[in-house]
Amino acid sequence: MIETQNVAADALPETCAALVRDRHARLVVMTGTDERERGRGYGLYYVFALPSGDLVSIEAQVDPARPEFPAVTRVVPAAHWYEREVKDLLGVEPRGHPDPRRLVLHDDWPHGLHPLRKDFDGRRGVGRDPHPHEPLTGVRGDGVMEVPVGPIHAGIIEPGHFRFGGVGELVFQLEARLFYTHRGIEKAAEGAGVERVLFLAERVCGACSLSNAVAYSQAIENLTERHPGLRARIIRSVLLELERLYNHVGDVANLCAGAALQLGVYQGGVLKERLQELNAAVAGHRYLFSVACPGGVRRDLDAAAQERIRRESVAIESEFRGYVDALLETESFMERLVGTGVLDHDLADELGAVGVAARSSGVARDVRASQPYAALRPGMVSPVVRTEGDVRARMLVRVEETFASFGLIRELLHELAEVPPADLVTPIGPLPSDRWAMGMVESPRGENVHWVMTGASGEIARYRVRSASYNWALVPFAVAGNLLPDFPLINKSFELCYACLDR
């Protein structure tokens, strides 16, 4: 159940601030829409979660003749990226925003073109305007220099530009410029069918493809009020934990890469590979593509698949324990992690951190616990929380969550064995007109939110994805005050995704 409050645009800051102050709500997602074709204006939807797990949506319409509104960011800092996106993609100005620079659209994008307005043709090519390259960090003084890294990097990773300002190896400030490869996924979803948008959702991020597919499917199921049966829900939960396992194990190995501990890279990589081979064997795809769909799942886990998951997960868990013990005993490695890249608790809380980054800084956010979904019930998952906020804490949270996932999978498989085979997909039927709904999943990187609005004929009119990689906004705060050579270590401890932003 979602509580809805419609307010005037000018009342947004006061209403949102009161919700945070008086009901201890946190901002989950904010979405802008173009509803002019339906005789309205630009819609603004701020969805908050209460401590009880209930959701509250604060909604306002902005007059198209005067496309601006008072920025909520001034009183709810977690809104900062959302409102900059609304400015870029819809041309609706958050008046008084403390950082009015472009975010999604880069400086060479022509002024006056806003891709998520309904009258923007997403199939057209857009010429770019040359622009001067100015200093980015704003750090000045004797001996201060800027060190640019990217956007093209060595190795096979996606583009992102990092501009370090500091003296010698000490970093005073980091500016991160992302959103280089905007794919227009949300634009492509406008008017598309449910299956087509599922195809797009799975491709927002390959490493979290199942989390995105399930979050989108939940949004469609909430729209139609048609939900999967118990067997399909258990299978979803088992596979989502398998997705968490290969990511978490691989992320610990990547952390070793940040400290040049090659043996740790290789050993962790082997375990990750075995987990992905298990995915392929039981679900048909190493990255768990094409398993979830609105209404359920497309693939059963029969007795043989269940037994294989049990057998191999026990073996891999044992080897992972030995692997972690060896890392913890490697003092030269662990010393690099302690006190490095600290993310302050209050900063993480106010800027809306999610996932491992939040929990490592003492912010106990885990959708599996606060808004249980699929086969999860209250109490089945307890957030793993540490308070140090440094690289070591982010590693240890992943380690503890990995062991918890092994145990949760065994518990879910025990329940699955008691559920007789049944239809795995509940027909969802046509989408209702002029409504919105959302789905939330705790991906390996944190909370993924998919928000779907239908149009007058029940078509998908707006599709909005807020991935856990919004945590990118926090990375510069964790880097300031550290040495430049520690940036790879800090960056890999967050292990965020470029593609999740390039949607």
Side-chain angles (χ1 to χ4, degrees), residues 26-30 47-50 53 55 78 82 204 208 211-212 215 218 243-244 248 351-359 363-373 401 438-450 464-471 496 500-501:
R26 71 174 181 89
L27 183 62
V28 172
V29 67
M30 182 265 188
V47 181
F48 291 83
L50 301 177
L55 301 175
Y82 300 122
V204 169
C208 297
S211 295
N212 285 313
Q218 288 176 347
E243 182 179 68
R244 188 178 325 284
H248 272 14
L351 292 183
V354 296
V356 170
R359 296 189 286 274
V363 181
R365 288 175 186 157
D366 189 325
V367 182
R368 295 176 298 169
S370 58
Q371 284 90 15
Y373 51 86
E401 289 185 350
M438 54 183 260
M440 304 167 66
V441 166
E442 187 70 22
S443 79
R445 291 172 174 79
E447 185 178 293
N448 281 357
V449 181
H450 289 231
R464 197 258 194 272
V465 180
R466 198 303 310 273
S467 86
S469 288
Y470 262 54
N471 277 349
L496 301 173
C500 283
L501 301 182

Side-chain angles (χ1 to χ4, degrees), residues 207-220:
C208 297
S209 59
L210 181 63
S211 295
N212 285 313
V214 172
Y216 166 72
S217 296
Q218 288 176 347
I220 296 298

Side-chain angles (χ1 to χ4, degrees), residues 12 14 19 35 60 157 232 254-255 311 320 323 348 402 451:
L12 280 171
E14 179 185 350
L19 195 61
E35 301 172 30
I157 64 173
N254 287 337
L255 200 55
R311 185 178 65 250
F320 181 69
Y323 168 67
T402 298
W451 191 99

Side-chain angles (χ1 to χ4, degrees), residues 49-187:
L50 301 177
S52 64
D54 294 331
L55 301 175
V56 180
S57 178
I58 308 296
E59 304 176 3
Q61 291 286 320
V62 175
D63 184 354
R66 184 170 162 267
E68 62 178 39
F69 63 101
V72 171
T73 300
R74 294 177 298 161
V75 291
V76 182
H80 62 140
W81 267 26
Y82 300 122
E83 293 187 331
R84 289 173 69 186
E85 282 200 7
V86 164
K87 177 184 176 183
D88 284 359
L89 300 178
L90 287 159
V92 183
E93 177 86 20
R95 193 173 62 248
H97 194 291
D99 186 355
R101 295 175 299 170
R102 288 181 168 190
L103 180 69
V104 179
L105 304 180
H106 286 196
D107 294 336
D108 59 354
W109 183 268
H111 288 272
L113 284 182
H114 305 288
L116 284 185
R117 286 190 175 182
K118 293 296 184 184
D119 48 11
F120 179 88
D121 183 356
R123 297 165 299 182
R124 61 175 286 195
V126 176
R128 302 305 175 95
D129 294 335
H131 66 97
H133 293 277
E134 303 291 344
L136 292 179
T137 64
V139 179
R140 303 286 184 274
D142 292 340
V144 169
M145 60 182 180
E146 286 193 343
V147 179
V149 177
I152 306 302
H153 303 271
I156 306 172
I157 64 173
E158 295 149 293
H161 180 63
F162 304 95
R163 189 74 66 92
F164 301 87
V167 174
E169 293 186 334
L170 181 61
V171 179
F172 292 162
Q173 185 184 8
L174 166 63
E175 281 286 343
R177 174 67 61 85
L178 304 161
F179 300 93
Y180 273 90
T181 316
H182 184 70
R183 291 174 286 169
I185 287 177
E186 294 178 359
K187 186 71 176 179

Side-chain angles (χ1 to χ4, degrees), residues 188-401:
E190 293 179 0
V194 169
E195 284 294 317
R196 174 62 181 169
V197 179
L198 174 63
F199 178 89
L200 297 172
E202 288 188 318
R203 284 151 182 82
V204 169
C205 166
C208 297
S209 59
L210 181 63
S211 295
N212 285 313
V214 172
Y216 166 72
S217 296
Q218 288 176 347
I220 296 298
E221 291 154 9
N222 289 332
L223 269 174
T224 58
E225 299 180 355
R226 301 282 293 169
H227 298 281
L230 178 58
R231 189 172 183 88
R233 298 201 308 275
I234 296 175
I235 292 171
R236 277 187 181 177
S237 287
V238 170
L239 296 178
L240 284 168
E241 293 309 311
L242 285 175
E243 182 179 68
R244 188 178 325 284
L245 282 179
Y246 88 77
N247 273 281
H248 272 14
V249 171
D251 291 348
V252 173
N254 287 337
L255 200 55
C256 295
L261 183 63
Q262 290 305 112
L263 184 59
V265 178
Y266 301 143
Q267 290 178 326
V270 168
L271 295 176
K272 177 188 176 185
E273 172 61 25
R274 288 174 57 188
L275 286 163
Q276 289 197 266
E277 289 176 357
L278 177 60
N279 291 345
V282 301
H285 198 287
R286 291 165 55 82
Y287 290 90
L288 301 170
F289 275 68
S290 303
V291 178
C293 63
V297 292
R298 291 174 168 146
R299 194 178 182 106
D300 199 1
L301 292 178
D302 60 18
Q306 294 173 40
E307 177 53 29
R308 182 161 185 171
I309 295 172
R310 284 192 200 92
R311 185 178 65 250
E312 296 197 19
S313 64
V314 167
I316 295 171
E317 180 182 11
S318 176
E319 292 183 40
F320 181 69
R321 190 177 299 280
Y323 168 67
V324 170
D325 287 346
L327 292 181
L328 295 177
E329 292 171 0
T330 306
E331 293 184 6
S332 60
F333 172 65
M334 296 305 299
E335 286 178 354
R336 289 282 308 276
L337 315 188
V338 177
T340 302
V342 173
L343 178 64
D344 177 74
H345 168 276
D346 292 345
L347 194 67
D349 188 27
E350 288 198 357
L351 292 183
V354 296
V356 170
R359 296 189 286 274
S360 305
S361 295
V363 181
R365 288 175 186 157
D366 189 325
V367 182
R368 295 176 298 169
S370 58
Q371 284 90 15
Y373 51 86
L376 300 179
R377 300 180 297 277
M380 288 185 76
V381 174
S382 298
V384 175
V385 178
R386 300 189 68 91
T387 58
E388 305 94 320
D390 57 5
V391 172
R392 176 177 177 273
R394 290 189 280 277
M395 171 186 158
L396 293 181
V397 165
R398 284 192 176 91
V399 168
E400 292 179 44
E401 289 185 350

